[in-house]
Amino acid sequence: MAKASKVKVQEGFEGREPNEIEWFKKVYQGDKVPQLTLRAVLMGALLGAFMSLSNLYVGLKTGWSLGVAITACVLSFSIYKTLMAAFPRLFKTEMSILENNCMQSTASSAGYSTGSVMVSAIAAYLIINGRHLPIGALMIFIFFVAALGVFMAIPLKRQLINIEQLRFPSGVAAAETLKSLHATGAEASIKARALGVAAVIGAALAWFRDAGKPFAIPGHLDLPGTIRGFALSKWTVSFEMSTVMMAAGAIVGWRVAWSLLLGAVINYMILAPMMLDAGAIDASKLGYRSIVGWSTWGGAALMVTSGLTAFFMQWRTIQRALKGMTKLFASKTQAVNDAISAIEVPTSWFAIGFACASLGCVALLYYYFDTSIWMGLVAVGLTFFLGIVASRATGETDITPMGAMGKVTQLTFGALAPSNITTNLMTAAVTSGAASSAGDLLTDLKSGYLLGANPRKQFIAQFLGIFVGTLVVVPVFYILVPTADALGTDQWPAPAAQTWAAVAKLLATGVDALHPTARIAILCGGLVGIILPILERLFPKSTRFIPSATGLGLSMIVPFFNSLAMFIGALIALILEKKSTLMSERFVVPVASGFIAGESIMGIVVALLGATGVLS
């Protein structure tokens, strides 16, 4: 009997990796816990609408977007507890941990995946053309771009989460936050208190830094010294008064963190001064944007080649992951005797959804942006491969290099359509927006994976969030930015849009418009990106001594102070782990999650108070 039972299990999970089988048996909660409920989706939609507005505001101000998953977890739990106390007859039972996870998937999709394109490519289109797109056309375009990324994440989920077990730090933090909020007992109480204290500290720091009341603290602490006669702060070499990046560093781990700092030192303290001497960087405009305008090319090339090299070296896993696509064209539908397949998102959903979203993007590029059909298809093809890179970067470092992925597409179409600035911009909008959505969905799926959620139900929640985000973000963008003259002002600096517009104009004459050193950087970055994954495969026992390709690539895109903060956070976590494994397991992730949640929530509050004129 025992032998027969063993054979049955092997047949039932044929072709599955040990990680997948162990997760299904030990972590997956089945239908024991409510997950995709009406109240979870409605709460996620409301919070997502609120956060999409805050991200639109912050994006137009700073060019950055705030992750909303952890913030949504904390807000949802707190709000629902309050409603239960105030209206016990209407709100009788608490949300389950998986309902809250489902809720944050809807909120994250609504609040993040639809707004990032608005503050970059769409705002850049307005700057260049001086006029808005028809609101209906823009809403459909944003929806299809976000949907393209959501469906694209389906075949990536098994490779990056199930098999490779990538960290996806915000996903880990969100899962830990939910566990702390819902758990009971002494150990849970300790973690919850640690998370709460860290959240208060993060929120207080954000308030004094951003609101400046009753007293202000600086956003950065300048370090002494100069390079080429310029203060270190001009090279972004400073200490950031923020807990978010330090917390992210504690979660992503030591290897990625030291790789980030190594790359940042090379880029900002060695290469950038050399490029200043060579004339590739304008001394009169020295700062983050002038430096990254050059270094982005090498960093993006490094991440693209390393991501694709690492992905295609896993050809057996890729083959298994995509094997189900052939069944779509089989004459007879065969039932899959696999309990895991019954809860994963079906391959047919990916094939149909990706095809429909692709056709929608290609059609809109053709009708509204005068982009030929074949160029639209090239953009969709690039989207899939660059989405692999962006999702891997998100999984390893918690940073989705949306801008870098857009630059790759802009460079490609700078060569294919050198005189068409609109094509350059909008094809990049498809690539970067879809890659951002894919990384966002995978982050949510990581939370669900750790909590034992049903990935198919979680995908549905994410997809529903796209509708909410699109309906809210696009009309509000037209209200905040009625004309092109509103951009590039003190009220709406729109730095990301300014950068996108500048690159589009630069590439209007083709790749030759790039400075010669930038072309060399692309070649060198691409070669390094190929070499590093190969070294990891050849010397697996020495991986900890080999720099992370993603860390090196991102260090050339984010400011030095971001890399420094992540390094410090990882170093603190490493020291704590060496001193006490128990203390590390008990406090590192909860405290890091608390810092991220507290500072994120307060950042949104301050942004909204500023938008309404309460804070001047």
Side-chain angles (χ1 to χ4, degrees):
M1 293 295 292
K3 185 176 181 179
S5 176
K6 183 176 181 180
V7 172
K8 183 177 181 180
V9 170
Q10 293 292 335
E11 291 177 349
F13 294 105
E14 183 179 357
R16 291 289 176 182
E17 298 288 339
N19 285 341
E20 296 178 289
I21 300 173
E22 183 179 8
W23 172 84
F24 183 77
K25 292 181 176 180
K26 296 182 179 180
V27 181
Y28 177 57
Q29 298 197 44
D31 295 325
K32 296 181 293 184
V33 180
Q35 181 172 341
L36 185 64
T37 62
L38 179 61
R39 63 180 181 177
V41 173
L42 290 178
M43 178 68 77
L46 291 173
L47 289 176
F50 164 77
M51 292 174 185
S52 67
L53 297 181
S54 68
N55 265 340
L56 182 63
Y57 174 84
V58 173
L60 289 173
K61 282 284 191 182
T62 68
W64 288 81
S65 295
L66 300 173
V68 302
I70 300 172
T71 306
C73 290
V74 177
L75 285 178
S76 173
F77 186 85
S78 302
I79 292 173
Y80 208 82
K81 279 284 189 180
T82 303
L83 291 175
M84 287 181 65
F87 308 102
R89 293 185 178 181
L90 294 177
F91 301 90
K92 299 178 180 179
T93 60
E94 293 184 359
M95 275 193 182
S96 71
I97 190 171
L98 294 188
E99 280 183 292
N100 266 307
N101 180 66
C102 183
M103 174 282 307
Q104 65 102 345
S105 294
T106 304
S108 184
S109 175
Y112 180 74
S113 63
T114 56
S116 54
V117 178
M118 298 297 299
V119 301
S120 55
I122 299 303
Y125 175 89
L126 180 59
I127 291 172
I128 290 176
N129 292 279
R131 57 181 174 79
H132 275 294
L133 287 165
I135 188 170
L138 182 56
M139 292 181 75
I140 297 173
F141 180 75
I142 294 298
F143 172 80
F144 276 127
V145 169
L148 188 65
V150 167
F151 284 106
M152 184 172 62
I154 295 174
L156 298 180
K157 188 260 183 184
R158 185 187 181 199
Q159 170 67 21
L160 300 184
I161 295 178
N162 296 15
I163 308 300
E164 295 189 36
Q165 301 280 309
L166 293 189
R167 291 289 287 171
F168 288 95
S170 283
V172 174
E176 188 65 29
T177 300
L178 284 174
K179 288 179 182 178
S180 298
L181 292 172
H182 284 269
T184 58
E187 184 69 15
S189 179
I190 291 173
K191 290 185 177 182
R193 283 199 298 270
L195 188 148
V197 171
V200 171
I201 294 173
L205 179 64
W207 175 262
F208 294 130
R209 183 194 64 220
D210 299 341
K213 297 179 183 299
F215 60 87
I217 61 175
H220 296 85
L221 293 179
D222 293 338
L223 303 177
T226 61
I227 299 177
R228 296 292 197 277
F230 292 93
L232 291 181
S233 59
K234 283 288 187 178
W235 307 94
T236 75
V237 180
S238 61
F239 179 76
E240 184 182 22
M241 296 295 288
S242 171
T243 61
V244 171
M245 299 309 292
M246 290 180 63
I251 295 174
V252 300
W254 177 241
R255 179 172 176 245
V256 172
W258 71 255
S259 300
L260 275 164
L261 185 61
L262 173 65
V265 170
I266 294 173
N267 185 49
Y268 289 96
M269 303 182 74
I270 300 175
L271 294 180
M274 292 172 61
M275 294 307 103
L276 183 69
D277 296 339
I281 296 175
D282 188 350
S284 64
K285 299 179 181 178
L286 182 62
Y288 166 64
R289 300 211 170 272
S290 62
I291 296 173
V292 82
W294 174 84
S295 63
T296 289
W297 301 108
L302 195 158
M303 286 192 294
V304 168
T305 57
S306 66
L308 294 178
T309 300
F311 188 78
F312 286 116
M313 282 196 301
Q314 301 286 339
W315 63 271
R316 292 184 183 278
T317 301
I318 299 170
Q319 184 183 47
R320 287 195 298 268
L322 299 179
K323 185 178 179 181
M325 291 189 65
T326 58
K327 297 177 182 179
L328 298 174
F329 308 99
S331 57
K332 294 183 180 180
T333 303
Q334 298 178 356
V336 180
N337 183 25
D338 184 350
I340 299 178
S341 296
I343 61 173
E344 291 283 3
V345 182
T347 305
S348 60
W349 290 18
F350 160 68
I352 296 172
F354 189 80
C356 291
S358 298
L359 291 175
C361 288
V362 171
L364 289 168
L365 287 171
Y366 176 77
Y367 284 108
Y368 286 101
F369 306 113
D370 296 323
T371 300
S372 64
I373 293 178
W374 75 268
M375 285 189 182
L377 293 174
V378 170
V380 170
L382 275 175
T383 297
F384 184 79
F385 289 106
L386 295 181
I388 296 172
V389 180
S391 297
R392 180 175 291 278
T394 305
E396 292 188 7
T397 68
D398 209 32
I399 299 175
T400 304
M402 175 184 175
M405 299 303 98
K407 296 295 185 297
V408 173
T409 310
Q410 285 189 282
L411 180 62
T412 301
F413 283 91
L416 295 177
S419 61
N420 195 330
I421 296 180
T422 300
T423 291
N424 186 289
L425 269 179
M426 303 318 296
T427 52
V430 172
T431 297
S432 61
S436 174
S437 294
D440 186 52
L441 175 60
L442 288 169
T443 297
D444 290 333
L445 289 174
K446 178 67 175 184
S447 299
Y449 181 84
L450 295 173
L451 297 172
N454 184 308
R456 187 179 300 191
K457 292 180 179 180
Q458 197 173 353
F459 168 85
I460 294 173
Q462 179 88 19
F463 183 69
L464 292 174
I466 297 175
F467 292 90
V468 179
T470 302
L471 290 173
V472 173
V473 167
V474 176
V476 173
F477 177 76
Y478 279 76
I479 296 173
L480 294 179
V481 188
T483 65
D485 295 336
L487 296 174
T489 63
D490 290 340
Q491 183 181 13
W492 305 122
Q498 300 289 350
T499 301
W500 278 62
V503 171
K505 292 176 182 177
L506 178 68
L507 295 177
T509 56
V511 180
D512 292 339
L514 286 175
H515 194 276
T517 59
R519 296 198 292 270
I520 295 174
I522 292 174
L523 177 61
C524 293
L527 289 175
V528 172
I530 294 173
I531 292 171
L532 289 178
I534 294 176
L535 289 177
E536 292 177 14
R537 176 61 66 89
L538 293 177
F539 307 101
K541 295 182 179 180
S542 302
T543 300
R544 66 184 185 278
F545 301 113
I546 301 172
S548 162
T550 303
L552 286 180
L554 281 174
S555 70
M556 299 182 179
I557 297 172
V558 300
F560 182 96
F561 51 75
N562 278 356
S563 297
L564 177 61
M566 292 186 72
F567 174 82
I568 293 173
L571 180 61
I572 294 173
L574 179 67
I575 294 173
L576 186 60
E577 181 182 1
K578 295 294 183 182
K579 288 189 174 183
S580 173
T581 303
L582 177 61
M583 291 285 287
S584 175
E585 293 177 351
R586 177 177 289 177
F587 290 112
V588 168
V589 174
V591 170
S593 302
F595 281 142
I596 294 173
E599 190 168 335
S600 298
I601 292 173
M602 188 54 68
I604 290 173
V605 171
V606 173
L608 290 178
L609 292 177
T612 56
V614 176
L615 289 176
S616 56

